[in-house]
Amino acid sequence: MANCRAFVQVLLFCALSCQAAASYAPVPAKEDFLGCLMKEIPARLLYAKSSPDYPTVLTQTIRNSRWSTPQNVQPLYIITPTNASHIQSAVVCGRRHSVRLRVRSGGHDYEGLSYRSEKPEKFAVVDLNKMRAVVVDGYARTAWVESGAQLGELYYAIAKNSPVLAFPAGVCPSIGVGGNFAGGGFGMLLRKYGIAAENVIDVKVVDPDGKLLDKSSMSADHFWAVRGGGGESFGIVVSWQVKLLPVPPTVTVFKIPKTVQQGAVDLVNKWQLVGPALPGDLMIRVIAAGNTATFEALYLGTCKTLLPLMSSKFPELGMNPYHCNEMPWIKSVPFIHLGKEAGLDDLLNRNNTFKPFAEYKSDYVLQPFPKPVWEQIFGWLAKPGAGIMIMDPYGATISATPEAATPFPHRQGVLFNIQYVNYWFAEAAGGPPLQWSKDMYNFMEPYVSKNPRQAYANYRDIDLGRNEVVNDISTYSSGKVWGEKYFKGNFQRLAITKGKVDPQDYFRNEQSIPPLVEKY
């Protein structure tokens, strides 16, 4: 899902399969949900709350410590499938015994709704951590990737097959494929190749009846909805077939920090117009923290051709040959995320010990900010409890795609996206950061998109609204409050599709698409 440059490591998945089955789940006395599961799924893949390993399995990929605290409603069971039939069995058993399923791939869900509930609820988690296969067909320029794979694992497998193929998804290598693609998925290739979801050409999905579908056996609306309509609404996506895209043998990366004293305000003020208007081969994003704006760029070409382009389009930045870092595309991924010392092994690292408490929000900008607003923004970034702002320029391919092509609607007219990120490291220390995030978001309201104020679905923000459940169905009116902020005019089509695919609203959470059943 999203930029997470601070998330350097992922907790190593323990080799639990060698333990006795009894340590995973108790033997049921009768045909209940667990007994139903155990008929089709090995006991070593099931964890009840009474299992000794349950706490480890639950928390191993939780990235936001806010959702690890005891007051969060936890799942009754965790299911760790190794193939599609296990997922099908989980759905069938869940429907039969009235146990809902939530689905976790990488654990980066900002609000933790893939593994927790805000209110008491009888649910289990399907944790896709064991389903991480990537199969690349270099000749066809396609790949099948399972939802539990991390983006870094996908990128690594592609580059191992060919140094001149790539895929446009998120910046952070530890993000799970399933969540990233489900909400759209964008990174440093967004201006050249758009979002991940629009480059998905087939899927394998377990629907609410437990059937395994692909593009040929599902409706066109269902296929449209799973590619950007958010996770956990239309079934469980087991795997994705993606179209691989060409990159040159050498790309160029630079990171240029500028402080306020060095003219950061003027530079960001210029960037907001230049960044979205550059050729699609060049992406320059800005990370603003404290009194510093860092300009991070990926150029699909050599330093020799980048220099005159920068001299022509953005001379004020002062980019010169010493800023250039030339490398194959695959090496640019850890470089941008972790820095110059990072290597390809970091793309495969699942050992995470960095689990801060965190708050995230997002905005879309359609009109350039006046310079005095940038001055005020840097004032906000210097306040106690301040977070950072990550700004991604749009334009080129991502903005040229029609809004209705995918559920992800943030296209023509968008200058840039903002992600507000705030971390703290003790539960009791959240007061100032949370207050800053709220106040900063309120301050920005006059200057960002309106009617609706847009947000990115993968930067999930529960403050935008929650579903209300009436007669065991999420209401369309409550979903519309937050849904149109993520999906604009596409929300209604998503809800109508939900009404056809899952009219009983089995797959749901606090921000899942509610079913809208058409009346004829």
Side-chain angles (χ1 to χ4, degrees):
M1 325 198 85
N3 179 287
C4 62
R5 52 195 293 109
F7 291 127
V8 179
Q9 299 177 316
V10 188
L11 194 68
L12 184 64
F13 192 83
C14 299
L16 301 174
S17 59
C18 62
Q19 298 181 25
S23 69
Y24 293 85
V27 177
K30 56 184 177 58
E31 165 64 47
D32 56 7
F33 175 65
L34 182 59
C36 182
L37 293 176
M38 291 180 68
K39 289 181 179 178
E40 303 294 339
I41 304 174
R44 61 185 173 79
L45 303 178
L46 306 172
Y47 302 84
K49 274 192 170 182
S50 57
S51 304
D53 299 309
Y54 174 96
T56 300
V57 176
L58 178 64
T59 60
Q60 64 184 337
T61 59
I62 293 179
R63 318 289 179 166
N64 189 343
S65 287
R66 292 176 72 186
W67 316 133
S68 299
T69 56
Q71 57 264 38
N72 289 287
V73 180
Q74 297 178 340
L76 297 174
Y77 302 98
I78 303 171
I79 304 155
T80 59
T82 58
N83 60 58
S85 70
H86 294 160
I87 299 174
Q88 292 177 273
S89 297
V91 173
V92 169
C93 292
R95 295 295 296 270
R96 183 178 299 164
H97 296 282
S98 300
V99 178
R100 296 190 180 278
L101 297 179
R102 300 196 180 210
V103 187
R104 179 167 71 177
S105 53
H108 279 281
D109 180 351
Y110 282 174
E111 296 288 355
L113 302 182
S114 60
Y115 51 84
R116 74 174 185 107
S117 174
E118 286 205 325
K119 295 180 179 179
E121 184 179 29
K122 188 179 177 184
F123 75 100
V125 165
V126 176
D127 190 319
L128 299 173
N129 188 51
K130 292 179 182 289
M131 297 187 67
R132 307 203 303 263
V134 183
V135 179
V136 177
D137 184 338
Y139 182 78
R141 292 189 171 187
T142 62
W144 275 101
V145 54
E146 291 183 324
S147 284
Q150 296 183 164
L151 294 180
E153 293 171 322
L154 171 62
Y155 298 155
Y156 186 93
I158 294 169
K160 191 174 181 181
N161 185 276
S162 170
V164 291
L165 291 175
F167 188 71
V171 171
C172 175
S174 62
I175 291 173
V177 162
N180 191 250
F181 293 7
F186 62 76
M188 298 301 288
L189 291 173
L190 69 85
R191 307 191 68 256
K192 180 68 174 180
Y193 291 125
I195 62 172
E198 67 194 85
N199 292 290
V200 171
I201 54 179
D202 204 349
V203 291
K204 293 178 182 177
V205 181
V206 177
D207 77 358
D209 295 321
K211 296 177 182 176
L212 185 63
L213 307 177
D214 61 13
K215 182 181 179 181
S216 67
S217 57
M218 65 202 300
S219 71
D221 281 342
H222 194 181
F223 183 62
W224 173 83
V226 298
R227 294 173 304 129
E232 280 190 309
S233 292
F234 306 97
I236 300 175
V237 182
V238 178
S239 57
W240 313 73
Q241 188 183 34
V242 298
K243 174 176 60 177
L244 306 183
L245 297 157
V247 289
T250 300
V251 305
T252 304
V253 179
F254 68 72
K255 295 187 180 188
I256 302 177
K258 295 288 186 177
T259 64
V260 170
Q261 293 76 15
Q262 294 171 322
V265 171
D266 286 327
L267 289 169
V268 177
N269 191 48
K270 179 70 181 289
W271 165 87
Q272 69 181 330
L273 297 174
V274 171
L278 291 168
D281 286 343
L282 178 56
M283 165 81 169
I284 306 176
R285 68 175 187 164
V286 175
I287 299 177
N291 74 337
T292 301
T294 300
F295 296 81
E296 294 189 345
L298 171 67
Y299 175 62
L300 300 179
T302 63
C303 182
K304 183 178 179 180
T305 53
L306 174 60
L307 287 169
L309 177 60
M310 289 296 295
S311 178
S312 169
K313 302 293 186 182
F314 199 5
E316 296 87 349
L317 188 59
M319 187 250 178
N320 63 57
Y322 296 102
H323 295 125
C324 287
N325 298 273
E326 293 185 331
M327 62 192 69
W329 168 78
I330 188 62
K331 290 188 177 180
S332 75
V333 179
F335 184 102
I336 289 168
H337 176 59
L338 299 172
K340 186 173 292 190
E341 303 305 317
L344 295 186
D345 288 346
D346 292 299
L347 299 180
L348 305 178
N349 186 3
R350 301 180 71 91
N351 183 30
N352 176 40
T353 58
F354 183 81
K355 298 189 175 189
F357 296 78
E359 171 76 355
Y360 306 88
K361 293 188 176 299
S362 64
D363 264 319
Y364 280 88
V365 179
L366 310 183
Q367 299 293 331
F369 298 162
K371 181 180 173 182
V373 173
W374 287 114
E375 293 171 341
Q376 292 178 74
I377 286 171
F378 278 96
W380 277 96
L381 293 169
K383 290 187 176 185
I388 67 173
M389 292 170 60
I390 302 168
M391 293 170 278
D392 298 298
Y394 277 37
T397 299
I398 195 168
S399 295
T401 305
E403 283 193 6
T406 67
F408 178 95
H410 314 291
R411 303 291 192 173
Q412 187 175 7
V414 173
L415 291 178
F416 57 96
N417 166 271
I418 303 174
Q419 182 181 188
Y420 309 93
V421 181
N422 217 332
Y423 296 132
W424 60 100
F425 297 93
E427 186 174 2
L434 286 169
Q435 189 63 49
W436 181 90
S437 295
K438 178 182 178 181
D439 293 344
M440 182 68 181
Y441 190 73
N442 290 337
F443 166 77
M444 295 294 289
E445 185 173 8
Y447 312 110
V448 297
S449 59
K450 299 174 179 63
N451 302 316
R453 183 177 182 177
Q454 299 173 42
Y456 176 35
N458 275 352
Y459 298 160
R460 182 132 64 183
D461 182 358
I462 202 70
D463 291 338
L464 300 180
R466 295 165 171 80
N467 286 342
E468 295 177 3
V469 178
V470 177
N471 297 325
D472 208 31
I473 302 287
S474 303
T475 67
Y476 179 74
S477 59
S478 65
K480 188 176 179 180
V481 172
W482 57 264
E484 290 189 343
K485 296 170 184 174
Y486 292 148
F487 303 112
K488 297 178 65 179
N490 292 332
F491 177 73
Q492 185 178 50
R493 181 180 173 188
L494 286 169
I496 291 171
T497 303
K498 172 75 169 182
K500 295 175 180 177
V501 172
D502 186 16
Q504 295 178 311
D505 200 25
Y506 176 67
F507 288 115
R508 75 171 181 229
N509 60 42
E510 291 78 356
Q511 280 192 350
S512 57
I513 303 296
L516 180 61
V517 179
E518 293 181 297
K519 293 180 171 57
Y520 299 96

